[in-house]
Amino acid sequence: RLLILVDVSGSLRQHTPDLLRVAHTALRAAPARTEVFTFGTRLTRITAALAHPHADQALKSVSALVTDADGGTAIGASLERFLANPRFAALARGALVIVLSDGLERGDPAPMVRATARLSRLGHRLVWWSPLACSPAYRPVTRAMSAQLPSLDHLGGVRDLATALEQVRRLPAVLSGRRHTAARHWPTTPSGAPR
């Protein structure tokens, strides 16, 4: 199974349409096994709205449903709401969980770190794709990202369909490899370079 959680907060405004297109493409490829949610300041299940075969129409349907797009962000609170719903949490059990987010948590990072750790325990693998990680200069040095790095199986850069395809090609190695290896591949100091 595939569970995709898409950050629609204001800091991702320029990337949100492309990130939703990535989720739409994944849903079209495996409709019976894919669930998609958005989060900003609230959590919204968009699987049905995103299921339209034409991407533009699907994005229009999602836009009508998602009321917190281009606003604030509460990543930890949104992920905790997801996990607090037993029906939603069951969707993560044994799934490949992909979070599309820049990880820029505005408040206390502890809820985000706790929720990420629990998602990691529930899922088969937990992958975090960030538009920021497309930059060679990116390092996961914010308090939230550096603290949650040990829970991630992979941290990669995705900002559009082309970069998503690059990351999809890496998934077989992520799915068959050791768990929680993202911290080994991403230094948390500016002087290092990803291995």
Side-chain angles (χ1 to χ4, degrees):
R1 284 199 311 274
L2 177 61
L3 170 64
I4 303 175
L5 301 160
V6 184
D7 187 339
V8 293
S9 62
S11 63
L12 286 166
R13 178 187 304 120
Q14 71 182 95
H15 300 292
T16 297
D18 285 324
L19 298 182
L20 289 171
R21 286 177 192 280
V22 168
H24 176 262
T25 302
L27 181 60
R28 296 288 299 150
R33 294 176 297 153
T34 303
E35 288 285 345
V36 185
F37 291 75
T38 63
F39 63 90
T41 55
R42 61 188 293 261
L43 179 73
T44 308
R45 189 176 190 175
I46 63 164
T47 308
L50 199 62
H52 194 283
H54 299 293
D56 289 341
Q57 186 57 50
L59 265 60
K60 282 182 185 176
S61 298
V62 169
S63 179
L65 183 63
V66 176
T67 60
D68 60 331
D70 198 21
T73 183
I75 300 172
S78 297
L79 296 182
E80 286 184 327
R81 276 194 294 278
F82 176 88
L83 292 165
N85 184 320
R87 288 183 302 120
F88 293 170
L91 299 172
R93 197 173 306 280
L96 168 59
V97 181
I98 298 177
V99 180
L100 290 161
S101 173
D102 56 15
L104 297 178
E105 182 63 289
R106 297 295 180 224
D108 178 6
M112 176 177 158
V113 173
R114 282 194 306 268
T116 302
R118 184 163 175 226
L119 271 177
S120 180
R121 290 192 299 272
L122 284 172
H124 176 65
R125 292 292 188 276
L126 176 57
V127 170
W128 196 286
W129 287 344
S130 168
L132 298 178
C134 291
S135 167
Y138 173 75
R139 301 292 176 265
V141 295
T142 63
R143 286 192 310 151
M145 284 305 294
S146 62
Q148 76 171 2
L149 205 56
S151 295
L152 303 181
D153 296 298
H154 179 69
L155 170 61
V158 169
R159 64 177 167 237
D160 52 26
L161 287 171
T163 51
L165 181 58
E166 292 173 16
Q167 292 300 320
V168 166
R169 289 180 175 139
R170 295 180 183 197
L171 285 178
V174 173
L175 292 169
S176 62
R178 293 177 60 190
R179 297 231 45 201
H180 307 135
T181 59
R184 280 192 249 161
H185 298 284
W186 283 94
T188 54
T189 57
S191 60
R195 293 186 294 276

